[in-house]
Amino acid sequence: MHKPLSTGATIGILGGGQLGRMLSVAAARLGFRSHIFEPGVACPASHVADQLTTASYTDTDALQRFAETVDVITYEFENIPTSALDVLEQVATIRPGREALRISQDRLTEKDFLNSLGLKTAPYAAIDDAPALGAALNAFGTAAILKTRRFGYDGKGQVRLQPDSDPQAAVADLAGQAALLEGFVDFSHEVSVIGARGADGAVCCFDPGENVHSNGILRTTTLPARLSAAQRMDAVLLTANILNALDYVGVMGVELFVTSEGLIVNEIAPRVHNSGHWTQNGCVVDQFEQHIRAIADWPLGDGTRHCDVVMENLIGDDMGRIGTIVKDPTSAVHLYGKAEIKPGRKMGHVNRIVPAQTRKV
Amino acid sequence: MHKPLSTGATIGILGGGQLGRMLSVAAARLGFRSHIFEPGVACPASHVADQLTTASYTDTDALQRFAETVDVITYEFENIPTSALDVLEQVATIRPGREALRISQDRLTEKDFLNSLGLKTAPYAAIDDAPALGAALNAFGTAAILKTRRFGYDGKGQVRLQPDSDPQAAVADLAGQAALLEGFVDFSHEVSVIGARGADGAVCCFDPGENVHSNGILRTTTLPARLSAAQRMDAVLLTANILNALDYVGVMGVELFVTSEGLIVNEIAPRVHNSGHWTQNGCVVDQFEQHIRAIADWPLGDGTRHCDVVMENLIGDDMGRIGTIVKDPTSAVHLYGKAEIKPGRKMGHVNRIVPAQTRKV
């Protein structure tokens, strides 16, 4: 693509969950239409999208037809099968590009990449068999987490091990999946940066937010994060470093551990990110619009934060509190239109606005 | 309706223009689906709605089927044929109610209603024939505007007359349409109040905005409006007066002339209003969500303004400036996805944010 997409163009989005839904709305706000590709039925994004293809990622014909109707393709999740990407990229540009997907689809590749940029990560070791795991547990000498290299999210595919855990049993539980062992990091808190890079190479990062997880699922993101000015600068610079190294176009979420020895990169996500939902009510241009601007070859938005925000995920039975939440004058509610409440299911989120300590606009 | 609509319920919206489009997005944000009824093809709201019925307001079967799929019906414009409303209300609740539509569909009825509440309007006279017009022009003794009683918007159906204008010619131009003559009001500026009334009778008004028109079309709305504290209070109280008198449920736009003798009501619109678009970036809950909350029997949002805003409509060739506008860090852009740019056509709007002089949150 060589020039900005015109109003009326169609954005193809792989994945019809809440992120695809909010991307669709942002695309509409800029005058674009959206076309969702999603294997599941009754997906949240379908309620607000112009077109919907319900098909499997192995359905080559459906992928081909989908790609022919759109002007650019993006995605709401990183675990898109390579074979599907091979079909799609013959027809339309995929943004962010495949290198970002290749790297973030595999925890080992991702850690190698981050270290190649001189960024710090948790200590890690590739685990192919029980002897390798035994050796790594010994070498780390502390509690550690065994993670599958691929397809993990929200804490799935992770198990905590001690130095004396049985490597045979742990490896057997992997059922043949490639894995890596990550040493624990002694961190005080987690922050994340939502960074964006335009097709013109411009980089713009939102203010880092501070995240609290529970059972592997994000509960809250609080702005501003507890960071010194130097840490804040570090967080933004390392995010720009990652974006530039990948010649990235779009929004990326970068999770960071704050430690006494500096910032440690936990993981990167080549897409809009749950920890960036606060931007919907804290910025003139939010992460969803920023992503659409980037992939449409439009100038990035400014992204300045104009107030303090606490974003809280509404998970499962949290929806029981919705009657109270909608009465709170400081709360902006965002629900995903999911029909059924299930434990651990993200049903929506709420952005609670507080006047900024220091006005930034 | 006796209890709040549940997430997943469907909001029926008559009209698929930009107001229907932004209502659909607001409905989705609260977890609702929307079903648009619109005679025109390729309407802006269809890009973000869950369902679309393309049919005429005289198509009784289509109206019936539409009503059967929705949990409540609302509208983006007041000139809905009475016969269509008769069909729809047999199946589903229409909000705001028909009394508000009946009154606002006819300029004469509207003025009579406002005066019956003790509110001031421009001097007016019903015009059924040339002698009546001649007498009214004489009686006013100033320039005046002859307006059709029904179906006028954006300055259409209006002609300016002088005391010595030819009543015969002016009445002939009406081609048999019922009309009224409005005397000019000596006002310094125009403001509007976007008011909301919940199903529980709660009233909540957004801060009045100051409007500038050109050729009968709104150009800008500026917050805060130039109003004294007493005028601001008057504006809100008279809006509440109107809402309560109609047992109204939903959002209403009330246009007011500011004069040395107080506020004069120009007109009311029983729907979300162009002059309320600033709320999208100036409030935690905007006019669109406020309207959906009201008609869904949810508690109204707070509506407090958290920053100063200038809303500018992007009309016709204004779209030529879009490349510059999207680079402005203080500008939030809202485009309607209309394919063709035409003179006088509302293509989008931009909310320019400035830190509030006095923080209200």
Side-chain angles (χ1 to χ4, degrees):
Chain A
M1 302 193 329
H2 300 289
K3 57 175 192 157
L5 281 188
S6 300
T7 272
T10 298
I11 311 284
I13 301 173
L14 305 173
Q18 61 265 21
L19 300 181
R21 175 180 170 101
M22 292 184 277
L23 284 169
S24 284
V25 168
R29 202 162 56 226
L30 297 181
F32 299 120
R33 301 180 187 213
S34 56
H35 186 163
I36 301 289
F37 189 100
E38 163 65 47
V41 294
C43 67
S46 68
H47 307 165
V48 292
D50 189 49
Q51 292 177 76
L52 171 69
T53 294
T54 306
S56 154
Y57 286 108
T58 59
D59 184 339
T60 307
D61 287 347
L63 288 165
Q64 177 92 24
R65 283 194 305 272
F66 165 79
E68 283 164 0
T69 66
V70 306
D71 295 283
V72 64
I73 294 173
T74 191
Y75 42 88
E76 63 153 15
F77 72 119
E78 51 271 41
N79 292 317
I80 305 153
T82 301
S83 59
L85 296 168
D86 290 342
V87 174
L88 295 168
E89 77 171 357
Q90 298 302 316
V91 188
T93 303
I94 300 173
R95 283 179 166 172
R98 294 197 58 176
E99 181 65 358
L101 278 171
R102 187 184 69 79
I103 284 170
S104 61
Q105 283 182 346
D106 184 319
R107 291 181 192 279
L108 183 64
T109 312
E110 183 176 306
K111 289 242 178 340
D112 286 345
F113 163 72
L114 293 167
N115 280 278
S116 77
L117 296 180
L119 305 179
K120 291 180 199 160
T121 63
Y124 64 102
I127 303 300
D128 293 324
D129 50 28
L133 178 55
L137 284 171
N138 259 335
F140 289 0
T142 61
I145 309 181
L146 185 66
K147 298 182 175 183
T148 55
R149 282 171 58 174
R150 299 174 64 90
F151 301 118
Y153 69 96
D154 283 354
K156 294 187 172 71
Q158 305 192 4
V159 55
R160 183 175 173 150
L161 300 177
Q162 300 299 329
D164 60 354
S165 296
D166 174 11
Q168 293 287 1
V171 166
D173 283 347
L174 290 171
Q177 292 180 85
L180 84 168
L181 186 72
E182 275 186 35
F184 263 107
V185 173
D186 182 21
F187 65 97
S188 56
H189 52 295
E190 186 203 290
V191 301
S192 58
V193 177
I194 308 300
R197 189 168 178 275
D200 58 356
V203 168
C204 178
C205 292
F206 291 100
D207 200 13
E210 181 170 335
N211 302 325
V212 174
H213 292 82
S214 168
N215 298 321
I217 303 180
L218 182 66
R219 294 297 326 198
T220 63
T221 301
T222 300
L223 277 288
R226 286 171 297 160
L227 289 173
S228 68
Q231 287 171 324
R232 203 172 293 269
M233 181 63 77
D234 269 358
V236 166
L237 288 179
L238 75 82
T239 299
N241 192 346
I242 295 168
L243 293 169
N244 287 329
L246 292 169
D247 195 19
Y248 194 85
V249 178
V251 160
M252 171 181 280
V254 178
E255 293 182 4
L256 302 167
F257 294 134
V258 182
T259 79
S260 54
E261 277 118 64
L263 300 173
I264 306 271
V265 184
N266 178 29
E267 62 179 40
I268 64 175
R271 52 169 170 81
V272 289
H273 197 258
N274 194 165
S275 70
H277 291 359
W278 67 269
T279 58
Q280 292 175 310
N281 298 95
C283 303
V284 167
V285 169
D286 67 21
Q287 67 163 347
F288 301 100
E289 179 173 333
Q290 193 72 303
H291 186 76
I292 299 294
R293 282 175 174 242
I295 65 169
D297 231 330
W298 283 34
L300 292 183
D302 175 67
T304 305
R305 180 169 64 83
H306 59 64
C307 60
D308 291 353
V309 189
V310 179
M311 188 287 302
E312 181 192 359
N313 272 339
L314 301 176
I315 299 170
D317 288 339
D318 289 346
M319 285 298 284
R321 290 191 284 116
I322 193 69
T324 307
I325 291 168
V326 295
K327 286 182 194 156
D328 173 9
T330 67
S331 286
V333 175
H334 302 262
L335 302 182
Y336 306 150
K338 295 181 182 176
E340 203 183 337
I341 296 174
K342 291 182 193 171
R345 192 173 204 195
K346 291 176 179 170
M347 305 300 297
H349 65 274
V350 53
N351 287 328
R352 215 159 58 245
I353 306 305
V354 263
Q357 299 293 315
T358 329
R359 296 281 297 171
K360 300 267 178 77
V361 173
Chain B
M1 300 193 329
H2 299 291
K3 56 174 193 159
L5 281 188
S6 300
T7 273
T10 299
I11 312 284
I13 302 173
L14 304 173
Q18 61 266 19
L19 300 181
R21 176 179 169 100
M22 292 184 277
L23 284 170
S24 284
V25 168
R29 204 161 55 227
L30 297 182
F32 298 120
R33 303 181 184 211
S34 55
H35 186 163
I36 301 288
F37 189 101
E38 163 66 47
V41 293
C43 67
S46 68
H47 307 166
V48 292
D50 188 50
Q51 292 178 75
L52 171 70
T53 294
T54 306
S56 154
Y57 286 108
T58 59
D59 184 340
T60 307
D61 287 347
L63 288 164
Q64 177 92 24
R65 280 194 306 272
F66 165 78
E68 283 164 0
T69 68
V70 305
D71 296 284
V72 64
I73 294 174
T74 191
Y75 42 87
E76 63 153 15
F77 73 119
E78 51 271 41
N79 292 318
I80 305 153
T82 301
S83 58
L85 297 168
D86 290 341
V87 174
L88 294 168
E89 76 172 356
Q90 298 302 316
V91 187
T93 302
I94 300 172
R95 284 180 166 172
R98 293 195 60 175
E99 181 66 0
L101 278 169
R102 188 184 69 79
I103 284 170
S104 61
Q105 283 182 345
D106 185 319
R107 291 181 193 281
L108 183 64
T109 311
E110 182 176 307
K111 288 239 178 344
D112 287 345
F113 163 72
L114 293 167
N115 281 277
S116 77
L117 297 180
L119 305 179
K120 292 180 197 161
T121 63
Y124 64 102
I127 303 299
D128 294 324
D129 51 29
L133 178 55
L137 284 170
N138 259 335
F140 290 0
T142 62
I145 309 181
L146 185 65
K147 298 182 174 182
T148 55
R149 283 172 55 175
R150 299 174 63 89
F151 302 117
Y153 70 97
D154 283 354
K156 295 187 171 71
Q158 305 192 2
V159 56
R160 182 175 172 150
L161 300 177
Q162 300 298 330
D164 61 355
S165 296
D166 175 10
Q168 293 285 1
V171 166
D173 284 347
L174 290 171
Q177 292 180 85
L180 83 169
L181 186 71
E182 275 186 35
F184 264 106
V185 173
D186 183 22
F187 65 97
S188 56
H189 51 295
E190 186 203 289
V191 300
S192 58
V193 177
I194 308 300
R197 189 168 178 276
D200 58 356
V203 168
C204 178
C205 293
F206 292 101
D207 200 15
E210 181 170 335
N211 301 324
V212 175
H213 293 82
S214 168
N215 298 321
I217 303 180
L218 182 67
R219 294 298 324 201
T220 62
T221 301
T222 300
L223 277 287
R226 287 171 296 160
L227 289 174
S228 66
Q231 287 171 324
R232 202 171 293 269
M233 182 63 77
D234 270 358
V236 166
L237 288 180
L238 75 81
T239 300
N241 192 347
I242 295 168
L243 293 169
N244 287 329
L246 293 169
D247 195 18
Y248 195 83
V249 178
V251 160
M252 170 181 280
V254 179
E255 293 182 5
L256 302 167
F257 294 136
V258 182
T259 80
S260 54
E261 276 118 63
L263 301 173
I264 306 272
V265 184
N266 179 30
E267 63 179 41
I268 63 175
R271 53 170 169 81
V272 289
H273 196 257
N274 194 164
S275 70
H277 291 359
W278 67 270
T279 58
Q280 292 174 309
N281 298 97
C283 303
V284 167
V285 169
D286 68 20
Q287 68 164 346
F288 302 99
E289 179 173 333
Q290 193 73 302
H291 186 75
I292 298 293
R293 281 175 175 242
I295 67 169
D297 231 329
W298 282 33
L300 292 182
D302 175 66
T304 305
R305 180 168 65 81
H306 60 64
C307 59
D308 291 355
V309 188
V310 179
M311 189 288 302
E312 182 191 359
N313 271 340
L314 301 175
I315 298 170
D317 288 340
D318 289 346
M319 284 298 284
R321 291 191 283 116
I322 193 70
T324 307
I325 291 169
V326 295
K327 287 183 194 154
D328 173 6
T330 66
S331 287
V333 175
H334 301 262
L335 301 181
Y336 307 151
K338 295 180 183 177
E340 204 184 337
I341 295 174
K342 293 181 190 169
R345 191 175 207 197
K346 292 177 180 171
M347 305 300 295
H349 65 274
V350 53
N351 287 328
R352 214 158 60 246
I353 306 305
V354 262
Q357 300 292 316
T358 329
R359 296 281 297 170
K360 299 267 179 76
V361 174

